[in-house]
mmCIF file of all heavy atoms in Angstrom:
data_model
loop_
_atom_site.group_PDB
_atom_site.id
_atom_site.type_symbol
_atom_site.label_atom_id
_atom_site.label_comp_id
_atom_site.label_asym_id
_atom_site.label_seq_id
_atom_site.Cartn_x
_atom_site.Cartn_y
_atom_site.Cartn_z
ATOM 1 N N SER A 7 -2.752 3.833 6.839
ATOM 2 C CA SER A 7 -3.219 4.230 8.159
ATOM 3 C C SER A 7 -3.318 2.985 9.024
ATOM 4 O O SER A 7 -3.174 1.859 8.542
ATOM 5 C CB SER A 7 -4.582 4.939 8.076
ATOM 6 O OG SER A 7 -5.559 4.064 7.549
ATOM 7 N N LEU A 8 -3.563 3.175 10.306
ATOM 8 C CA LEU A 8 -3.652 2.048 11.237
ATOM 9 C C LEU A 8 -4.956 1.290 10.985
ATOM 10 O O LEU A 8 -6.042 1.840 11.152
ATOM 11 C CB LEU A 8 -3.596 2.564 12.675
ATOM 12 C CG LEU A 8 -3.602 1.517 13.778
ATOM 13 C CD1 LEU A 8 -2.299 0.727 13.763
ATOM 14 C CD2 LEU A 8 -3.799 2.164 15.137
ATOM 15 N N SER A 9 -4.857 0.028 10.591
ATOM 16 C CA SER A 9 -6.043 -0.776 10.316
ATOM 17 C C SER A 9 -6.668 -1.264 11.608
ATOM 18 O O SER A 9 -6.022 -1.301 12.661
ATOM 19 C CB SER A 9 -5.694 -1.967 9.420
ATOM 20 O OG SER A 9 -4.869 -2.881 10.131
ATOM 21 N N ILE A 10 -7.927 -1.674 11.529
ATOM 22 C CA ILE A 10 -8.625 -2.172 12.715
ATOM 23 C C ILE A 10 -7.972 -3.461 13.226
ATOM 24 O O ILE A 10 -7.903 -3.712 14.428
ATOM 25 C CB ILE A 10 -10.131 -2.389 12.418
ATOM 26 C CG1 ILE A 10 -10.913 -2.682 13.693
ATOM 27 C CG2 ILE A 10 -10.325 -3.480 11.379
ATOM 28 C CD1 ILE A 10 -11.062 -1.518 14.615
ATOM 29 N N GLU A 11 -7.432 -4.259 12.302
ATOM 30 C CA GLU A 11 -6.746 -5.491 12.693
ATOM 31 C C GLU A 11 -5.478 -5.165 13.470
ATOM 32 O O GLU A 11 -5.192 -5.777 14.507
ATOM 33 C CB GLU A 11 -6.406 -6.306 11.443
ATOM 34 C CG GLU A 11 -5.743 -7.639 11.754
ATOM 35 C CD GLU A 11 -5.424 -8.442 10.511
ATOM 36 O OE1 GLU A 11 -5.773 -7.982 9.398
ATOM 37 O OE2 GLU A 11 -4.814 -9.524 10.645
ATOM 38 N N ASP A 12 -4.710 -4.172 12.982
ATOM 39 C CA ASP A 12 -3.490 -3.755 13.691
ATOM 40 C C ASP A 12 -3.824 -3.168 15.057
ATOM 41 O O ASP A 12 -3.076 -3.356 16.022
ATOM 42 C CB ASP A 12 -2.723 -2.724 12.866
ATOM 43 C CG ASP A 12 -2.160 -3.304 11.584
ATOM 44 O OD1 ASP A 12 -1.928 -4.524 11.551
ATOM 45 O OD2 ASP A 12 -1.972 -2.536 10.618
ATOM 46 N N PHE A 13 -4.950 -2.451 15.129
ATOM 47 C CA PHE A 13 -5.358 -1.850 16.404
ATOM 48 C C PHE A 13 -5.622 -2.935 17.451
ATOM 49 O O PHE A 13 -5.152 -2.839 18.593
ATOM 50 C CB PHE A 13 -6.612 -0.995 16.200
ATOM 51 C CG PHE A 13 -7.263 -0.546 17.474
ATOM 52 C CD1 PHE A 13 -6.737 0.495 18.227
ATOM 53 C CD2 PHE A 13 -8.399 -1.194 17.950
ATOM 54 C CE1 PHE A 13 -7.322 0.895 19.419
ATOM 55 C CE2 PHE A 13 -8.999 -0.801 19.138
ATOM 56 C CZ PHE A 13 -8.462 0.243 19.871
ATOM 57 N N TYR A 14 -6.380 -3.986 17.071
ATOM 58 C CA TYR A 14 -6.711 -5.024 18.045
ATOM 59 C C TYR A 14 -5.520 -5.930 18.356
ATOM 60 O O TYR A 14 -5.485 -6.569 19.416
ATOM 61 C CB TYR A 14 -7.902 -5.850 17.555
ATOM 62 C CG TYR A 14 -9.222 -5.144 17.790
ATOM 63 C CD1 TYR A 14 -10.043 -4.786 16.730
ATOM 64 C CD2 TYR A 14 -9.629 -4.821 19.077
ATOM 65 C CE1 TYR A 14 -11.251 -4.129 16.950
ATOM 66 C CE2 TYR A 14 -10.825 -4.166 19.305
ATOM 67 C CZ TYR A 14 -11.630 -3.823 18.239
ATOM 68 O OH TYR A 14 -12.826 -3.166 18.465
ATOM 69 N N LYS A 15 -4.548 -5.989 17.458
ATOM 70 C CA LYS A 15 -3.313 -6.710 17.789
ATOM 71 C C LYS A 15 -2.519 -5.937 18.839
ATOM 72 O O LYS A 15 -1.894 -6.523 19.725
ATOM 73 C CB LYS A 15 -2.458 -6.898 16.531
ATOM 74 C CG LYS A 15 -2.939 -8.001 15.613
ATOM 75 C CD LYS A 15 -2.015 -8.131 14.412
ATOM 76 C CE LYS A 15 -2.478 -9.240 13.482
ATOM 77 N NZ LYS A 15 -1.618 -9.348 12.277
ATOM 78 N N ARG A 16 -2.558 -4.632 18.722
ATOM 79 C CA ARG A 16 -1.809 -3.774 19.646
ATOM 80 C C ARG A 16 -2.522 -3.651 20.985
ATOM 81 O O ARG A 16 -1.868 -3.594 22.035
ATOM 82 C CB ARG A 16 -1.650 -2.407 19.004
ATOM 83 C CG ARG A 16 -0.784 -1.447 19.776
ATOM 84 C CD ARG A 16 -0.625 -0.170 18.999
ATOM 85 N NE ARG A 16 0.027 0.870 19.781
ATOM 86 C CZ ARG A 16 0.132 2.132 19.393
ATOM 87 N NH1 ARG A 16 -0.338 2.509 18.216
ATOM 88 N NH2 ARG A 16 0.726 3.013 20.163
ATOM 89 N N PHE A 17 -3.871 -3.602 20.960
ATOM 90 C CA PHE A 17 -4.659 -3.476 22.186
ATOM 91 C C PHE A 17 -5.709 -4.604 22.238
ATOM 92 O O PHE A 17 -6.887 -4.383 21.950
ATOM 93 C CB PHE A 17 -5.351 -2.116 22.245
ATOM 94 C CG PHE A 17 -4.419 -0.946 22.237
ATOM 95 C CD1 PHE A 17 -4.290 -0.138 21.110
ATOM 96 C CD2 PHE A 17 -3.646 -0.643 23.351
ATOM 97 C CE1 PHE A 17 -3.428 0.934 21.093
ATOM 98 C CE2 PHE A 17 -2.776 0.437 23.349
ATOM 99 C CZ PHE A 17 -2.660 1.230 22.211
ATOM 100 N N PRO A 18 -5.281 -5.826 22.606
ATOM 101 C CA PRO A 18 -6.229 -6.954 22.616
ATOM 102 C C PRO A 18 -7.205 -6.926 23.798
ATOM 103 O O PRO A 18 -8.254 -7.562 23.752
ATOM 104 C CB PRO A 18 -5.315 -8.177 22.692
ATOM 105 C CG PRO A 18 -4.064 -7.675 23.350
ATOM 106 C CD PRO A 18 -3.910 -6.253 22.900
ATOM 107 N N ASN A 19 -6.851 -6.212 24.880
ATOM 108 C CA ASN A 19 -7.706 -6.192 26.063
ATOM 109 C C ASN A 19 -7.475 -4.900 26.845
ATOM 110 O O ASN A 19 -6.622 -4.083 26.491
ATOM 111 C CB ASN A 19 -7.424 -7.416 26.947
ATOM 112 C CG ASN A 19 -5.929 -7.614 27.187
ATOM 113 O OD1 ASN A 19 -5.199 -6.654 27.483
ATOM 114 N ND2 ASN A 19 -5.456 -8.844 27.045
ATOM 115 N N SER A 20 -8.224 -4.749 27.938
ATOM 116 C CA SER A 20 -8.127 -3.526 28.750
ATOM 117 C C SER A 20 -6.776 -3.397 29.448
ATOM 118 O O SER A 20 -6.296 -2.285 29.684
ATOM 119 C CB SER A 20 -9.249 -3.509 29.797
ATOM 120 O OG SER A 20 -10.508 -3.445 29.175
ATOM 121 N N LYS A 21 -6.159 -4.550 29.782
ATOM 122 C CA LYS A 21 -4.854 -4.511 30.445
ATOM 123 C C LYS A 21 -3.807 -3.849 29.552
ATOM 124 O O LYS A 21 -2.981 -3.060 30.028
ATOM 125 C CB LYS A 21 -4.423 -5.928 30.816
ATOM 126 C CG LYS A 21 -3.123 -5.975 31.597
ATOM 127 C CD LYS A 21 -2.751 -7.402 31.978
ATOM 128 C CE LYS A 21 -1.424 -7.427 32.734
ATOM 129 N NZ LYS A 21 -1.034 -8.819 33.105
ATOM 130 N N SER A 22 -3.846 -4.154 28.255
ATOM 131 C CA SER A 22 -2.883 -3.546 27.331
ATOM 132 C C SER A 22 -3.116 -2.042 27.218
ATOM 133 O O SER A 22 -2.160 -1.270 27.046
ATOM 134 C CB SER A 22 -2.998 -4.199 25.948
ATOM 135 O OG SER A 22 -4.303 -4.045 25.414
ATOM 136 N N CYS A 23 -4.375 -1.609 27.339
ATOM 137 C CA CYS A 23 -4.687 -0.174 27.325
ATOM 138 C C CYS A 23 -4.121 0.510 28.565
ATOM 139 O O CYS A 23 -3.553 1.613 28.491
ATOM 140 C CB CYS A 23 -6.203 0.049 27.244
ATOM 141 S SG CYS A 23 -6.979 -0.615 25.763
ATOM 142 N N LEU A 24 -4.255 -0.138 29.728
ATOM 143 C CA LEU A 24 -3.702 0.415 30.965
ATOM 144 C C LEU A 24 -2.176 0.480 30.900
ATOM 145 O O LEU A 24 -1.563 1.439 31.383
ATOM 146 C CB LEU A 24 -4.137 -0.431 32.154
ATOM 147 C CG LEU A 24 -5.531 -0.147 32.722
ATOM 148 C CD1 LEU A 24 -5.915 -1.209 33.741
ATOM 149 C CD2 LEU A 24 -5.588 1.239 33.345
ATOM 150 N N ASN A 25 -1.557 -0.553 30.306
ATOM 151 C CA ASN A 25 -0.095 -0.547 30.143
ATOM 152 C C ASN A 25 0.344 0.655 29.312
ATOM 153 O O ASN A 25 1.335 1.325 29.634
ATOM 154 C CB ASN A 25 0.371 -1.835 29.467
ATOM 155 C CG ASN A 25 0.297 -3.038 30.392
ATOM 156 O OD1 ASN A 25 0.360 -2.885 31.608
ATOM 157 N ND2 ASN A 25 0.162 -4.216 29.829
ATOM 158 N N TYR A 26 -0.397 0.924 28.247
ATOM 159 C CA TYR A 26 -0.062 2.062 27.380
ATOM 160 C C TYR A 26 -0.206 3.373 28.140
ATOM 161 O O TYR A 26 0.679 4.238 28.069
ATOM 162 C CB TYR A 26 -0.969 2.061 26.152
ATOM 163 C CG TYR A 26 -0.741 3.248 25.243
ATOM 164 C CD1 TYR A 26 0.211 3.203 24.231
ATOM 165 C CD2 TYR A 26 -1.471 4.428 25.405
ATOM 166 C CE1 TYR A 26 0.437 4.299 23.407
ATOM 167 C CE2 TYR A 26 -1.248 5.524 24.592
ATOM 168 C CZ TYR A 26 -0.299 5.450 23.586
ATOM 169 O OH TYR A 26 -0.080 6.537 22.787
ATOM 170 N N LEU A 27 -1.311 3.545 28.874
ATOM 171 C CA LEU A 27 -1.540 4.780 29.620
ATOM 172 C C LEU A 27 -0.461 4.993 30.680
ATOM 173 O O LEU A 27 0.035 6.108 30.865
ATOM 174 C CB LEU A 27 -2.926 4.752 30.267
ATOM 175 C CG LEU A 27 -4.129 4.851 29.334
ATOM 176 C CD1 LEU A 27 -5.424 4.729 30.128
ATOM 177 C CD2 LEU A 27 -4.108 6.158 28.552
ATOM 178 N N ALA A 28 -0.090 3.911 31.385
ATOM 179 C CA ALA A 28 0.939 4.018 32.423
ATOM 180 C C ALA A 28 2.281 4.416 31.816
ATOM 181 O O ALA A 28 3.007 5.255 32.367
ATOM 182 C CB ALA A 28 1.058 2.693 33.171
#
Side-chain angles (χ1 to χ4, degrees):
S7 62
L8 183 68
S9 68
I10 189 70
E11 183 179 357
D12 293 334
F13 169 77
Y14 281 118
K15 283 181 180 178
R16 186 176 171 189
F17 299 107
N19 48 45
S20 296
K21 184 178 179 181
S22 59
C23 299
L24 278 171
N25 287 334
Y26 177 88
L27 290 177

